[in-house]
Amino acid sequence: MWKPVLGVIVDGSPVGAVASYTFPNVGANHTLQASFGAANAVPTAVALLSPLDNDTVGEGSLTAMSFTWSASTDADAGDTLVYSLRITGPGVDYTAGGLTDTSVTLDLSADLTAGDDYAWTVTVNDGQAVVSSPDTFGFHVSPFTGVDDGVTVPEVYALGQNYPNPFNPTTAIPFDLPERSSVSLRVFNILGVQVMELISDEQMQAGSYTTPVDFSNLSSGAYFYRLTARGEGAQVFDKVMKLVVIR
């Protein structure tokens, strides 16, 4: 099988990966060394998935903030692809490296500040080449929104559709609280058996929230998530929605 020339040495001097070479003195004896090998296949760039560009992330989600992106492919079957996530913003240049999965959940509560805007992107490395995503997504961190802080709060309780959906293996569940409430958020399988407790009777201020969820330890299929909120005004909100995991 033909392999490309990686390097040529003429009379002890490297001349690079040349296709042809003219000797200055054709009457003299010369030495010629050539090294051959397979050229490295550069991995494909990833596409950023979540959080979406210009998305808003609640301050309460910073303790377990989830990032997801598409998988890179590499024609060299033996190469191991390693991802690096970089987050930049006011006074922040944070990198999570050495990632072999296409998602990561991080505790950024000590690094990011409510009210500020940040950007994130991902690179992939096959051991020889580093390829950057063509995308750089931005997101805003919203502070806890209390009823007395002058910030607009939701008018009604709401449980939104998780995004992305279907997903593998991480997603995020949005919900709104119009007043301080005792909140529970749980996940059930199709038999009604609880498989995950995301929030357990936690007192939360009024505001909009996004809770990341990691289904790495659960199998493919349909699940249901249920939000129960009991407000200080004795109002009770209870809603169930469906999500789908695809491996």
Side-chain angles (χ1 to χ4, degrees), residues 105-180:
T105 300
L106 303 170
D107 183 353
L108 298 172
S109 57
D111 301 281
L112 308 188
T113 304
D116 285 339
D117 296 308
Y118 298 91
W120 71 283
T121 191
V122 173
T123 61
V124 59
N125 187 342
D126 68 351
Q128 298 186 60
V130 177
V131 178
S132 300
S133 170
D135 305 319
T136 298
F137 280 5
F139 63 91
H140 176 76
V141 178
S142 64
F144 286 116
T145 50
V147 293
D148 297 323
D149 61 6
V151 179
T152 301
V153 298
E155 295 183 357
V156 296
Y157 286 99
L159 176 62
Q161 182 66 57
N162 65 295
Y163 184 86
N165 188 51
F167 64 93
N168 176 28
T170 60
T171 188
I173 298 174
F175 61 91
D176 293 339
L177 306 176
E179 62 178 339
R180 180 178 173 85

Side-chain angles (χ1 to χ4, degrees), residues 62-94:
L62 293 181
T63 55
M65 187 170 175
S66 180
F67 296 84
T68 60
W69 54 92
S70 66
S72 174
T73 58
D74 193 319
D76 296 328
D79 285 354
T80 298
L81 300 181
V82 179
Y83 304 98
S84 291
L85 165 70
R86 185 183 182 191
I87 305 169
T88 56
V92 174
D93 193 342
Y94 180 100

Side-chain angles (χ1 to χ4, degrees), residues 210-232:
T210 302
T211 299
V213 192
D214 189 338
F215 277 72
S216 297
N217 296 325
L218 295 176
S219 59
S220 299
Y223 294 85
F224 298 91
Y225 56 100
R226 179 179 183 178
L227 176 71
T228 303
R230 296 174 176 84
E232 292 181 327

